[in-house]
């Protein structure tokens, strides 16, 4: 059984049938399979399917290095996907990590990596739009001793060795693929109230890359202050409402306070 270090064999010696043992029943259409359910492991003589039922094939099309530990990745889905602002995407990157990676980056597979399902969850920093309904972006922080993020970052830095934060690199020709296992998260934000109705002001505090859930909600932002990596964090905020800023003629220095 490939990529499985241990197998438990269970022999059934008998059973008891209890009718109506479950006191609850599922209402049809109300329960979905969890995207975190481990995939079925197939024997070496079996041919596994290309993707699980419900998975959406993805292609990595663009990367952007913001700094040494923060990189943006843009994925193109095989069909339009519905992702709301501040939701997260659950990605299966097993094919990327285990098969084409050694040809693209310097990485030696370890024993523990072989048993990792390579399913990861990240907040979507740029959700799909009506103009690009199948495209979304993730802004991912490097985890030094992790498995997936060091490989992703090494790839991004390889195609952009000068770390030009303003440069978006087209990597679609590399053929890097993943699977979108599902979408989760719900971050409701109260609608703003007009001053004549008493008004409503919200204070949002995010730590580092914890900023990403707010990037799809920047229509509510009046003032942004960054105490760490302001050149990166505030640029992300500005770009997320670039259309509004462009229409109003406001520049980066006018729209964002770059430090405390």
């Amino acid at each position: 059984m490939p990529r499985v270090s241990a197998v438990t064999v269970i022999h059934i010696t008998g059973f008891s049938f209890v009718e109506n043992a479950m006191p609850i029943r599922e209402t049809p259409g109300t329960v979905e399979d969890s995207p975190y359910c481990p995939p079925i492991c197939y024997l070496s003589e079996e041919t596994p399917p290309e993707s699980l039922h419900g998975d959406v094939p993805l292609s990595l099309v663009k990367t952007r290095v913001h700094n040494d530990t923060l990189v943006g990745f843009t994925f193109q889905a095989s069909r339009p996907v519905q992702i709301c602002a501040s939701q997260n995407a659950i990605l299966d990157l097993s094919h990327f990590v285990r098969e084409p990676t050694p040809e693209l980056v310097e990485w030696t597979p370890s024993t523990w990596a072989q048993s990792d399902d390579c399913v990861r969850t990240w907040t979507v920093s740029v959700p799909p739009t009506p103009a690009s309904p199948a495209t979304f972006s993730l802004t991912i922080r490097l985890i030094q001793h992790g498995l997936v993020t060091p490989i992703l970052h090494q790839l991004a830095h390889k195609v952009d060795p000068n770390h030009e934060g303003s440069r978006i690199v087209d990597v679609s020709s590399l053929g890097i693929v993943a699977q979108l296992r599902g979408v989760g998260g719900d971050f409701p934000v109260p609608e703003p109230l007009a001053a004549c109705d008493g008004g409503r002001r919200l204070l949002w505090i995010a730590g580092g890359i914890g900023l990403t859930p707010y990037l799809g909600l920047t229509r509510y932002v009046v003032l942004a202050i960054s105490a760490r990596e302001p050149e990166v964090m505030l640029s992300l905020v500005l770009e997320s409402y670039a259309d509004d800023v462009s229409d109003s003629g406001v520049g980066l220095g006018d729209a964002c306070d770059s430090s405390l």
Side-chain angles (χ1 to χ4, degrees):
M1 186 174 288
R3 296 193 293 271
V4 175
S5 58
V7 176
T8 301
V9 179
I10 301 176
H11 295 279
I12 305 299
T13 59
F15 66 90
S16 297
F17 174 70
V18 181
E19 188 175 2
N20 295 325
M22 291 292 291
I24 58 176
R25 292 290 183 271
E26 170 192 341
T27 301
T30 60
V31 178
E32 299 179 356
D33 293 337
S34 170
Y36 297 103
C37 289
I40 297 173
C41 296
Y42 292 86
L43 299 174
S44 57
E45 61 267 23
E46 295 179 311
T47 302
E50 291 294 329
S51 62
L52 298 177
H53 176 70
D55 282 6
V56 179
L58 302 175
S59 297
L60 180 62
V61 294
K62 297 177 183 177
T63 63
R64 180 178 180 182
V65 177
H66 296 290
N67 60 23
D68 290 340
T69 63
L70 199 63
V71 175
F73 299 89
T74 300
F75 291 89
Q76 178 76 36
S78 61
R79 60 173 175 80
V81 292
Q82 184 175 358
I83 304 176
C84 298
S86 77
Q87 285 192 307
N88 56 65
I90 300 100
L91 270 59
D92 180 352
L93 294 152
S94 56
H95 184 274
F96 164 63
V97 170
R98 295 192 179 116
E99 296 188 19
T101 297
E103 301 175 4
L104 301 173
V105 297
E106 298 178 1
W107 178 69
T108 302
S110 60
T111 303
W112 66 270
Q114 291 299 314
S115 59
D116 192 305
D117 62 5
C118 299
V119 175
R120 299 293 188 272
T121 302
W122 291 288
T123 303
V124 175
S125 52
V126 182
T129 63
S132 302
T135 303
F136 64 92
S137 298
L138 309 172
T139 305
I140 300 175
R141 176 78 75 183
L142 171 67
I143 305 300
Q144 289 291 347
H145 301 292
L147 170 62
V148 176
T149 59
I151 297 174
L152 286 171
H153 275 246
Q154 190 178 154
L155 169 69
H157 286 278
K158 182 176 182 180
V159 298
D160 185 13
N162 295 325
H163 301 181
E164 299 177 10
S166 60
R167 183 185 177 203
I168 299 176
V169 182
D170 186 340
V171 295
S172 56
S173 61
L174 298 179
I176 298 173
V177 298
Q179 299 288 332
L180 178 63
R181 297 284 298 272
V183 177
D186 189 9
F187 190 63
V189 176
E191 289 293 327
L193 295 178
C196 60
D197 295 327
R200 176 187 286 139
R201 296 180 179 180
L202 304 176
L203 173 62
W204 292 348
I205 301 176
I209 197 57
L211 173 73
T212 51
Y214 298 108
L215 293 179
L217 303 167
T218 51
R219 63 185 180 277
Y220 300 112
V221 174
V222 176
L223 173 67
I225 302 175
S226 177
R228 177 186 177 189
E229 301 174 309
E231 69 285 351
V232 174
M233 296 301 173
L234 296 179
S235 293
L236 290 174
V237 173
L238 180 63
E239 290 167 9
S240 64
Y241 58 73
D243 292 338
D244 292 337
V245 172
S246 176
D247 293 340
S248 63
V250 179
L252 176 60
D254 300 320
C256 300
D257 188 350
S258 63
S259 63
L260 287 175

